[in-house]
Structures are given as structure tokens and as C-alpha cells.
């Protein structure tokens, strides 16, 4: 099942033969992560990237007050990992924590380089996925500066209507850069 999800991810972006896909897929490892357990821990090395097969994750960063701020949510078919740490070998500034029982397909940098050397088309997939993450990050930054919390919450629900069912409100509030009480007031305003 996990490899079928990987195949559907690949075939959305690139074309590979069944034999090529089998060769590529053989380098991915299935990893099951329990709810509230980490895929990446701040201060450690992010030595793997992952594609979410099932479940979901949230990434956080510690701010100067010692508080964790949610940066991103990632669900099925998403690429997860600390790209800076993965490619540079530096310590991670992020935590990636499972929101629920999750399954991911992971790959190391060495195996990724082997794949992209042998199949340059796979590099296109990675480039598209990384560019998408960059665009999402830019949009989030722009929104945080120029949009009200109420509008940010509405947009979050518009982009992923199920997020309120899968993510605790405290994490959504952190993602929006507000307190949980403020999110509660916004929800009342929107759903009255």
C-alpha cells in the first residue's frame, strides 16, 4: 500500500516506467510514527526526508521566549523534513511531530542522490515539491503580515476544510500566531 501511495505521488509530477519506479521505491523505507512522537527533533540532524502516506504532522520552532510556534501542517502525500538540516548537515531548528498515528516513506540524502543521479526526472519531482513548500512559506509570511487572524483562519479552512477535525485548536492558534482564546472568539464569529 505504501509504495502505491509513493507511485501516485510520483506519477502526478513525472513519468517513469514500472521498472524505474520499482528501482526508486526500493530505496524508500516505511516508518510508522505514533501520535505525539517525533520524526525530527530540534537540535538533532534531519537525516531523512519523508512522504506522508497516512496521518499528519505539524512542525514547530522554538521562539526567543522559549515557546513553540507551529510553522506547518502536513498530511497525506506531503513532503516533510527540515530541508536546511537535510541538505546542509546542520542541526535542525524544527520539530516534526505526528498529530495522529502516521506512516511515512523516508529516504536518506545518499539514497536520494543515488536516485537523482540515475533518474534525473526524480530531481524534477523534488524540485517541484521544494518549490511548492517555498511558495507556501512565502504566502504564509505575507498573510501573517497583511491579513487579520480571522481572515487567516478562514483561508486555512478554505484550503483544508478537514483541518479543524484533525488538528487541536491550540495548534491552529499557534499556527495563526494568536492565543487559543482569540481563536475561540474568531470561531464563534464565523459560525454563528
Amino acid at each position: 500500500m505504501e509504495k502505491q501511495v509513493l507511485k501516485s505521488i510520483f506519477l502526478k509530477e513525472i513519468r517513469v516506467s514500472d521498472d524505474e519506479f520499482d528501482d526508486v521505491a526500493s530505496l524508500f523505507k516505511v516508518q510508522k510514527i505514533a501520535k505525539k512522537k517525533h520524526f525530527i527533533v530540534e537540535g538533532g540532524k534531519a537525516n531523512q526526508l519523508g512522504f506522508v502516506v497516512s496521518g499528519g504532522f505539524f512542525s514547530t520552532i522554538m521562539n526567543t521566549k522559549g515557546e513553540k510556534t507551529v510553522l506547518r501542517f502536513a498530511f497525506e502525500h506531503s513532503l516533510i523534513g527540515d530541508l536546511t538540516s537535510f541538505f546542509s548537515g546542520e542541526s535542525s531548528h524544527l520539530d516534526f511531530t505526528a498529530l495522529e498515528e502516521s506512516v511515512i516513506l523516508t529516504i536518506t540524502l545518499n539514497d536520494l542522490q543515488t536516485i537523482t543521479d540515475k533518474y534525473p526526472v526524480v530531481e524534477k519531482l523534488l524540485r517541484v515539491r521544494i518549490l511548492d513548500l517555498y511558495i507556501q512559506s512565502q504566502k504564509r509570511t505575507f498573510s501573517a503580515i497583511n491579513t487579520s487572524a480571522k481572515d487567516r483562519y478562514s483561508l486555512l479552512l478554505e484550503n483544508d476544510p478537514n483541518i479543524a477535525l484533525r488538528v487541536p485548536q491550540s495548534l491552529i492558534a499557534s499556527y495563526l500566531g494568536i492565543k487559543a482564546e482569540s481563536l475561540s472568539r474568531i470561531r464563534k464569529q464565523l459560525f454563528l
Side-chain angles (χ1 to χ4, degrees):
M1 176 204 142
E2 291 88 3
K3 303 294 178 167
Q4 280 305 112
V5 171
L6 185 65
K7 192 169 193 173
S8 72
I9 292 168
F10 270 56
L11 294 180
K12 279 184 182 178
E13 311 289 343
I14 60 174
R15 295 289 168 242
V16 291
S17 72
D18 287 343
D19 288 340
E20 290 170 331
F21 174 77
D22 290 341
D23 193 24
V24 169
S26 71
L27 295 176
F28 282 84
K29 307 295 182 246
V30 176
Q31 195 172 349
K32 294 180 181 186
I33 301 183
K35 181 178 182 176
K36 297 185 180 180
K37 296 297 180 187
H38 295 282
F39 171 56
I40 295 173
V41 178
E42 181 180 5
K45 301 279 191 217
N47 56 9
Q48 299 175 0
L49 288 181
F51 284 101
V52 180
V53 174
S54 63
F57 291 82
F58 65 99
S59 66
T60 58
I61 189 167
M62 188 79 68
N63 66 22
T64 57
K65 297 176 186 174
E67 302 165 334
K68 290 197 176 220
T69 300
V70 175
L71 297 178
R72 178 175 170 235
F73 299 108
F75 299 100
E76 289 79 5
H77 297 203
S78 295
L79 176 66
I80 62 170
D82 181 337
L83 297 172
T84 301
S85 178
F86 181 75
F87 287 110
S88 72
E90 297 172 5
S91 294
S92 178
H93 295 286
L94 305 175
D95 281 334
F96 269 84
T97 308
L99 286 161
E100 53 202 33
E101 299 294 318
S102 299
V103 176
I104 57 176
L105 289 166
T106 62
I107 191 162
T108 65
L109 182 59
N110 286 342
D111 286 343
L112 185 62
Q113 288 171 334
T114 298
I115 289 173
T116 55
D117 287 347
K118 190 170 182 179
Y119 304 108
V121 69
V122 175
E123 192 167 11
K124 176 188 177 203
L125 168 73
L126 187 61
R127 188 174 58 249
V128 166
R129 289 300 176 115
I130 290 172
L131 182 59
D132 184 51
L133 289 174
Y134 177 75
I135 290 168
Q136 287 175 25
S137 176
Q138 291 287 65
K139 285 181 176 181
R140 181 169 186 265
T141 300
F142 178 80
S143 178
I145 294 168
N146 296 304
T147 310
S148 71
K150 183 178 179 181
D151 289 344
R152 290 194 306 273
Y153 183 63
S154 294
L155 184 61
L156 182 66
L157 293 178
E158 183 180 310
N159 289 334
D160 189 352
N162 293 320
I163 201 161
L165 302 174
R166 296 180 78 177
V167 178
Q169 296 304 303
S170 59
L171 294 178
I172 291 174
S174 175
Y175 176 79
L176 296 172
I178 60 176
K179 299 289 182 198
E181 298 79 18
S182 298
L183 178 57
S184 182
R185 282 191 296 277
I186 290 168
R187 288 170 49 84
K188 285 179 186 172
Q189 291 171 4
L190 289 173
F191 302 119
L192 282 181

